[in-house]
């Protein structure tokens, strides 16, 4: 079974600064996907970024980028130029690249951006 | 608008009652999922369905039931056998593997036992 671990229950950052959220996972699969989802106070789950395991290049979406270390099974999220609207719970998630796949989530990291 | 619609947003259940949470999607996605979220915790999978008339138990299926009679609909029934049903419930869907491997979520439903 796959497991996802987020070791930072809470983090805070000043507006306009950079913050990195950590995630590690455990799997014996070679084909899989990794995700970061954001959950603001509204509770809507919003996809932030996605990484395919077969791609060596780290995914980037505007101010959000990942550091994917496949051998170390690490998948951290970097948020640059933090904005107040980035305040949310962030979940790291894993999905096998086969049929019948489902998302396995970490416990989440509550990020607070301070003005 | 295309998307995943969950209803109701808020639901109150009396002890011993069954309640059904609705989830409808007009994205033509094949797979659908139900997750439960307790305060301050991550999401846990209740049930999922890859195709019509087929579904599988997730990690916490006890006390829940589902059906998948139509591609666009995946209702979740919380039965009286679920001893602690107060939680936030999220429905999600995913295209077939050929077109995408990202799971998208509805806005969620709050269930409270009174």
């Amino acid at each position: 079974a796959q497991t996802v671990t987020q070791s930072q229950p809470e983090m805070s950052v000043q507006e306009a600064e950079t913050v990195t959220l950590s995630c590690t996972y455990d799997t014996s699969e070679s084909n899989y996907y990794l995700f970061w989802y954001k959950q603001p106070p509204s509770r809507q789950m919003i996809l932030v970024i996605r990484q395919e395991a077969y791609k060596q290049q780290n995914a980037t979406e505007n101010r959000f980028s990942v550091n994917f270390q496949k051998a170390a099974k690490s998948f951290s999220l970097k948020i640059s130029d933090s904005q107040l609207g980035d305040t949310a719970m962030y979940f790291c998630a894993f999905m096998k690249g086969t049929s019948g796949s489902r998302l396995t989530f970490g416990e989440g990291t509550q990020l607070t951006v301070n003005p | 608008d295309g998307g995943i619609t969950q209803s109701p947003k808020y639901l109150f259940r009396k002890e011993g009652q069954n309640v059904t949470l609705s989830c409808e999607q007009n994205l033509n996605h094949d797979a659908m999922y139900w997750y439960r979220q307790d305060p301050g915790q991550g999401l846990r999978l209740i049930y999922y369905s890859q195709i019509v008339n087929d579904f599988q138990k997730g990690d916490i299926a006890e006390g829940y039931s589902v059906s998948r009679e139509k591609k666009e609909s995946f209702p979740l029934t919380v039965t009286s056998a679920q001893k602690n049903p107060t939680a936030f419930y999220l429905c999600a869907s995913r295209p077939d593997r050929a077109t995408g491997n990202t799971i998208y979520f509805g806005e969620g439903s709050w269930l409270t036992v009174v």
Side-chain angles (χ1 to χ4, degrees), chain A residues 42-55:
Chain A
S42 67
R43 291 279 188 148
Q44 173 82 50
M45 291 290 284
I46 302 166
L47 177 67
V48 175
I49 201 164
R50 183 183 98 159
Q51 176 79 44
E52 292 88 347
Y54 63 85
K55 290 187 178 179

Side-chain angles (χ1 to χ4, degrees), chain B residues 39-106:
Chain B
Q41 297 187 25
L43 280 69
R44 293 182 291 168
L45 182 66
I46 305 172
Y47 268 99
Y48 63 107
S49 169
Q50 301 295 311
I51 57 173
V52 174
N53 292 323
D54 186 43
F55 48 82
Q56 291 79 42
K57 293 182 179 180
D59 301 320
I60 55 166
E62 185 176 353
Y64 300 96
S65 65
V66 294
S67 63
R68 187 87 186 275
E69 297 177 359
K70 298 184 296 182
K71 186 176 185 178
E72 59 269 25
S73 179
F74 192 42
L76 173 73
T77 296
V78 185
T79 74
S80 58
Q82 172 48 241
K83 297 306 179 186
N84 186 23
T86 295
F88 186 62
Y89 291 85
L90 280 158
C91 179
S93 69
R94 183 175 71 118
D96 64 77
R97 290 186 61 230
T99 58
N101 281 296
T102 297
I103 292 179
Y104 299 92
F105 287 84

Side-chain angles (χ1 to χ4, degrees), chain A residues 1-20:
Chain A
Q2 288 73 37
T3 59
V4 179
T5 303
Q6 295 178 247
S7 58
Q8 306 152 313
E10 298 179 358
M11 294 192 71
S12 63
V13 64
Q14 292 299 121
E15 196 175 6
E17 293 187 347
T18 296
V19 63
T20 298

Side-chain angles (χ1 to χ4, degrees), chain A residues 37 39 44 95 97 101-102, chain B residues 33 37 59 101 103 107:
Chain A
Y37 282 88
Q39 189 179 43
Q44 173 82 50
M95 185 169 71
S101 299
R102 20 81 69 92
Chain B
Y33 307 79
Q37 186 179 28
D59 301 320
N101 281 296
I103 292 179
E107 294 187 348

